[in-house]
Amino acid sequence: MFINGEWVESNSGRIRNIINPYNQEVIATVTEGDENDAKAAISAARKAFNQSDWPTIPAIERGKVVHKIADLIERDREELAELESLDTGKTVEESRGDMDDIAGVFRYYAEMVDKEGGEIINSPIPNSTSKIVREPVGVCAQITPWNYPLLQASWKLAPALAAGNTLVMKPSEITPLTSIKVFELMEEAGVPGGVVSLVLGPGNSVGAELASNDDVDLISFTGGLETGKKIMQAASSNMKKLALELGGKNPNVVFADTDFETAVDQAMNAVFFHAGQVCSAGTRLIVEESIHDQFVDALVDRVKNIRLGNGFNESTQMGPLISESHLNKVIHYVEKGKQEGVSVAVGGGRPDDPELQDGFFYLPTVLTNCTTDMRVVQDEGFGPVITVEKFTTEEQAIWLANDSIYGLSGGVFTNDIAKAERCVAKMRMGTVWINDVNLYFPQAPWGGYKQSGIGRELGKTGLEEYQETKHIYRNLKPEPLNWFK
Ligand code: NAD
């Protein structure tokens, strides 16, 4: 762990083995922190915020350091990508793409921070000036999940640092490796000691301390809905600012007038990329009745050919799930669907291939005869499983798309652009794609409506999450008010 500018072991001396989900081999042993380590890191961040010049140096100077972090990520791209794939099972090709996106996020905020000034407003009071300035929030706690370990970390680290905060990060206890490496890179880039700390360990000790500690000014969390609720409750102890990026159960609406082959291909990408362990995965496929059967047949033909395997083999298209407990969750979720009356068009279990038996693999699965009241349609399974529903009218399609407690993302496939615009105007989600899926980039805000979260990462709003807004009023002609004469 990296606390107060030093690499340290946990107070308790506890350790954790990190497992490769492809074959269950131990790939690393890391120290395992607890509440006391989290407290030490928070104290260091508080001291750095109050006493170091990081929050107050010209933004352009912080931008240079953040640029340097991007340079180092680009330099070590291959090592980082391999670590990420060892830790998560995703293909190395995908991890390389992640690393490019991550460097891009650091560059985006490095560039933005010195262009972002405050503003002068027209004061309604004679002989006065009124200006708005943005300041860092203070000590930020950041908790990340296992599905995109370093990508999710970068969406938090880059804007928090650029805005002049100090921070403590806790990665998922099962995927800490690239976070450890990036803290080394931040040290090398010249981030001053104490400004950034990394505490490893479980959510119910380290994470809970970060959420409840009164010396933390902001908590930014990416993960599941139930954990998000706990964090929101804990954060109320001192009314710390809250940014929550939670789950999704995302619709992908396909109209009959779409480009058929493209829509089939994209529907697969929407849900089988990274074995469906993507918050914005388009797991609810909603298809116009007139092409439903043909669409399912085409999908099933393609899904049968998805190549499962080791993410380090170039031919692999889909890796394993992250852990045994997550695999069991996905199995349970599909079994529940079977009890509810769905038909398994393809998949629906573990692969027979002897080479895949040591990994946490689940077959890419298409479930048909699904209706919106089923748990399998409503719950976030977070695996390579797609449910297919039918619609006949545009209104019904929109109603089905919105019938979820979540509102993270959604897709619409049609060649009728007016229809697409009518649909997206009514879809209650933070991101909606027309004729595409799963796209994100640093310039566009990311986050959820409804129970998919609070606040936005990325884009200008991603920086604003890490800033307080201050109004400074100056009286140019001070004189007694004489109210209390
Ligand atoms: P999770 O909620 O189980 O864990 C996320 C993090 O929270 C981990 O670091 C964990 O240790 C920590 N944690 C657990 N209990 C805690 C507690 N009581 N207090 C504080 N921290 C605690 O989620 P996960 O299984 O790691 O990730 C998958 C979830 O993340 C999915 O629901 C997915 O949709 C969501 N996700 C959302 C986005 C987004 O942008 N909206 C992106 C990626 C993942």
Side-chain angles (χ1 to χ4, degrees):
M1 301 191 292
F2 189 62
I3 299 179
N4 206 11
E6 283 178 24
W7 289 96
V8 295
E9 309 223 328
S10 64
N11 275 313
S12 69
R14 272 199 295 273
I15 55 163
R16 174 184 288 265
N17 288 334
I18 304 299
I19 306 291
N20 179 347
Y22 168 67
N23 54 16
Q24 301 190 47
E25 274 176 14
V26 175
I27 47 174
T29 302
V30 299
T31 194
E32 173 107 318
D34 61 20
E35 301 78 349
N36 293 324
D37 302 292
K39 282 181 184 147
I42 293 166
S43 296
R46 172 56 60 197
K47 190 161 164 230
F49 189 76
N50 292 349
Q51 295 177 16
S52 81
D53 60 3
W54 182 254
T56 51
I57 53 170
I60 197 165
E61 297 303 324
R62 286 197 301 271
K64 283 180 194 162
V65 175
V66 178
H67 260 307
K68 179 80 180 159
I69 299 169
D71 292 342
L72 298 176
I73 289 168
E74 282 166 359
R75 183 195 69 190
D76 293 349
R77 173 184 188 252
E78 196 58 26
E79 183 187 349
L80 282 162
E82 288 182 13
L83 271 181
E84 197 78 306
S85 286
L86 273 175
D87 211 350
T88 61
K90 67 170 75 177
T91 67
V92 183
E93 192 56 28
E94 191 190 331
S95 293
R96 288 188 187 113
D98 286 356
M99 296 313 141
D100 296 340
D101 291 347
I102 289 161
V105 171
F106 279 97
R107 289 223 185 281
Y108 176 73
Y109 287 110
E111 287 289 334
M112 178 186 283
V113 70
D114 66 303
K115 319 286 181 294
E116 276 290 295
E119 58 186 296
I120 304 287
I121 55 174
N122 290 324
S123 168
I125 317 286
N127 294 313
S128 73
T129 61
S130 190
K131 66 176 176 178
I132 311 288
V133 295
R134 303 227 156 67
E135 298 180 341
V137 173
V139 174
C140 301
Q142 305 182 323
I143 301 178
T144 53
W146 48 258
N147 64 332
Y148 282 87
L150 194 52
L151 187 78
Q152 296 303 326
S154 72
W155 293 10
K156 301 185 191 303
L157 292 170
L161 277 176
N165 297 280
T166 62
L167 63 92
V168 179
M169 174 165 277
K170 187 201 94 64
S172 166
E173 56 275 34
I174 53 179
T175 54
L177 300 186
T178 47
S179 297
I180 296 172
K181 173 76 188 166
V182 110
F183 271 72
E184 285 176 13
L185 299 184
M186 289 195 290
E187 186 185 18
E188 186 181 343
V191 178
V195 169
V196 291
S197 288
L198 176 76
V199 183
L200 307 179
N204 59 12
S205 57
V206 178
E209 182 63 36
L210 294 178
S212 63
N213 191 297
D214 286 356
D215 224 3
V216 172
D217 297 305
L218 174 151
I219 181 142
S220 174
F221 166 78
T222 302
L225 174 59
E226 292 313 313
T227 317
K229 287 181 183 172
K230 287 185 196 160
I231 287 179
M232 194 168 184
Q233 233 164 10
S236 70
S237 68
N238 67 334
M239 298 303 288
K240 54 177 71 69
K241 288 185 76 179
L242 196 61
L244 299 175
E245 296 286 344
L246 308 176
K249 185 71 190 180
N250 312 290
N252 185 17
V253 177
V254 179
F255 285 95
D257 61 10
T258 189
D259 175 13
F260 188 86
E261 291 305 323
T262 302
V264 171
D265 186 74
Q266 297 257 19
M268 288 180 61
N269 227 58
V271 75
F272 300 122
F273 195 69
H274 193 20
Q277 302 167 116
V278 181
C279 54
S280 57
T283 44
R284 286 190 293 137
L285 182 61
I286 300 171
V287 185
E288 191 160 352
E289 190 163 27
S290 59
I291 58 162
H292 172 275
D293 294 356
Q294 187 194 354
F295 200 92
V296 168
D297 288 348
L299 195 62
V300 168
D301 277 350
R302 296 273 311 267
V303 170
K304 278 181 192 154
N305 296 323
I306 293 178
R307 293 188 297 275
L308 274 57
N310 185 347
F312 282 77
N313 291 345
E314 286 211 348
S315 61
T316 297
Q317 295 173 319
M318 201 182 101
L321 297 171
I322 190 69
S323 64
E324 186 170 10
S325 65
H326 188 53
L327 171 64
N328 288 334
K329 185 181 152 195
V330 173
I331 291 171
H332 174 78
Y333 162 83
V334 175
E335 294 309 312
K336 176 89 188 146
K338 290 178 188 168
Q339 287 162 18
E340 288 178 306
V342 303
S343 307
V344 179
V346 66
R350 302 205 57 203
D352 298 330
D353 184 345
E355 278 188 27
L356 302 180
Q357 295 313 304
D358 291 337
F360 305 122
F361 284 93
Y362 194 81
L363 286 170
T365 296
V366 177
L367 304 178
T368 56
N369 288 328
C370 300
T371 52
T372 188
D373 54 326
M374 295 174 169
R375 286 325 317 159
V376 74
V377 175
Q378 291 296 330
D379 296 343
E380 187 190 41
F382 223 52
V385 181
I386 195 164
T387 62
V388 192
E389 296 166 81
K390 290 178 197 169
F391 70 90
T392 49
T393 65
E394 189 179 315
E395 289 66 33
Q396 195 189 4
I398 294 166
W399 187 85
L400 286 171
N402 283 332
D403 187 26
S404 168
I405 60 166
Y406 295 108
L408 188 59
S409 65
V412 180
F413 282 81
T414 173
N415 281 330
D416 178 344
I417 198 64
K419 181 156 67 181
E421 293 286 356
R422 284 197 300 275
C423 289
V424 299
K426 289 187 179 156
M427 287 166 72
R428 305 283 300 156
M429 292 130 212
T431 299
V432 185
W433 299 286
I434 299 175
N435 295 330
D436 218 312
V437 293
N438 272 347
L439 254 179
Y440 64 88
F441 34 79
Q443 292 78 3
W446 180 264
Y449 284 27
K450 301 197 262 180
Q451 296 189 39
S452 285
I454 295 176
R456 293 290 179 274
E457 294 193 304
L458 299 181
K460 202 172 154 211
T461 41
L463 184 70
E464 287 166 358
E465 291 275 10
Y466 288 97
Q467 293 175 319
E468 287 283 15
T469 303
K470 182 180 277 175
H471 174 216
I472 303 175
Y473 173 82
R474 187 194 295 177
N475 185 345
L476 301 176
K477 203 175 167 198
E479 52 194 19
L481 293 172
N482 288 328
W483 179 277
F484 295 107
K485 280 194 288 215

